[in-house]
Amino acid sequence: MGTGLSERVAQPEYRIEDLAHHSGATVRTIRAYQDRGLLPRPERRGRSNVYGDSHLARLRQIADLLDRGYTLASIKELLEAWDTGRGLGGVLGLVAEVDGPWTDEEADRISRADLDARFGGTPDEDAVREAIELGVLERVPDRETEEYLVPSPQELAVAAELYAAGVPLAAITGHLRELRGQVEHIASRFLEFTSEHVFARYLEHRPPTDADAAEAATLVRRLRPLAQQTVDAELARAMRLFATRHLQHHLSWDNPPPEEREPRAVALPPETIRAVERLVGAENVAAFITAAAEREVQTRTLDTLASNAANSSQIGQEA
């Protein structure tokens, strides 16, 4: 009997091991999703469980939402909304809008040779390691030549300019760590502010309706530039205010140089740090360097006092 157009096309079927292979999840994870109600139960065929394309699509959907930072509890609510016909189009559109890039800047790549050339021409493994830790650089795997991804070329360019102006790399990375913490606080406050006064009405349902989520996504597009515009304006105002005061202070003849009371960072060569670590251990480096500096200052002070006393005695004898 020939096959006709009216016959149903056979759908792919998977054993649990095959489903794990195609989805990237483990067998244990698939069973856990079933137990939590995230994945429909398979069809029973004799003594075997059979999965279909719907199971594979659901696993990929779960993986995508996990990558976006959703918890399994939140994912279950979203999937239940989908299953009851409320739709996920608006919600996923909102997720994509929030998860997308928040800047027009495009990432770039830089070779290790070019990187070294921009920072004095001398390779500095410790500086590169710290830049990777901070996310300023990302290693590009499987390359014949050593190459790095630069998520923000502007940020790297600023670091290069500061270095060319004489700022040590250790001071630059330390400043970036401090600045990052302050900027993250500003971002957190801006999100709290907009959530309370703008987005609360769209997100009061869990999950939000398709229409509310779509409208919230439109608002995100409109409001996205406001955070940077506000920070840019306030930073410009503050820089003008404090730079003017700073210059006036240093140009005034009535103001002696201020006495430093706060501790400040001092850049030491990496080989010095490693030598001290080998001598006293990593946990005692700061204490050792402090004690050594204080002893040197005391020694020089004693030498100066002794020299002054000897000179005074000699002058007295001559008189």
Side-chain angles (χ1 to χ4, degrees), residues 261-281:
R261 298 182 182 274
E262 296 295 326
R264 61 189 179 92
V266 178
L268 294 175
E271 56 271 18
T272 301
I273 299 296
R274 287 193 289 268
V276 175
E277 286 180 349
R278 289 194 296 269
L279 184 64
V280 299

Side-chain angles (χ1 to χ4, degrees), residues 107-110 135-140 147-152:
D108 199 0
R109 293 193 178 199
I110 189 171
V136 177
L137 299 174
E138 295 178 10
R139 294 190 186 277
V140 177
E147 193 174 47
Y148 299 92
L149 178 71
V150 185
S152 173

Side-chain angles (χ1 to χ4, degrees), residues 61-258:
Q61 200 170 42
I62 293 171
D64 180 62
L65 291 170
L66 285 172
D67 287 342
R68 296 177 187 273
Y70 282 78
T71 64
L72 288 176
S74 299
I75 292 173
K76 184 177 181 181
E77 290 181 352
L78 292 172
L79 295 177
E80 286 175 350
W82 174 273
D83 292 338
T84 54
R86 281 187 281 164
L88 273 182
V91 173
L92 294 179
L94 176 59
V95 170
E97 195 66 48
V98 172
D99 195 45
W102 284 67
T103 176
D104 294 332
E105 187 178 15
E106 295 184 1
D108 199 0
R109 293 193 178 199
I110 189 171
S111 67
R112 179 56 189 269
D114 289 341
L115 181 66
D116 291 340
R118 294 184 69 175
F119 290 91
T122 303
D124 189 333
E125 299 301 330
D126 290 333
V128 171
R129 192 180 304 112
E130 190 156 16
I132 292 173
E133 181 183 334
L134 286 168
V136 177
L137 299 174
E138 295 178 10
R139 294 190 186 277
V140 177
D142 302 327
R143 301 285 299 185
E144 293 182 2
T145 58
E146 192 173 357
E147 193 174 47
Y148 299 92
L149 178 71
V150 185
S152 173
Q154 292 179 2
E155 192 169 51
L156 186 66
V158 168
E161 288 292 335
L162 289 173
Y163 182 80
V167 182
L169 283 174
I172 295 173
T173 54
H175 178 69
L176 176 58
R177 289 184 187 276
E178 180 182 359
L179 180 64
R180 180 168 293 179
Q182 294 168 345
V183 170
E184 287 176 354
H185 174 72
I186 293 172
S188 175
R189 290 292 298 119
F190 190 82
L191 286 173
E192 290 172 3
F193 170 78
T194 53
S195 294
E196 178 182 357
H197 297 286
V198 179
F199 293 106
R201 61 183 180 273
Y202 298 105
L203 304 177
E204 58 184 354
H205 301 101
R206 296 192 59 186
T209 65
D210 207 43
D212 282 349
E215 190 170 350
T218 301
L219 271 174
V220 170
R221 281 194 296 274
R222 286 175 49 198
L223 299 181
R224 177 181 290 176
L226 298 188
Q228 184 169 349
Q229 291 170 5
T230 303
V231 171
D232 286 347
E234 284 300 309
L235 180 62
R237 180 199 65 79
M239 286 297 296
R240 181 179 181 185
L241 173 66
F242 287 106
T244 301
R245 288 180 183 176
H246 197 68
L247 183 62
Q248 290 173 346
H249 176 79
H250 282 278
L251 293 181
S252 175
W253 294 100
D254 299 330
N255 295 323

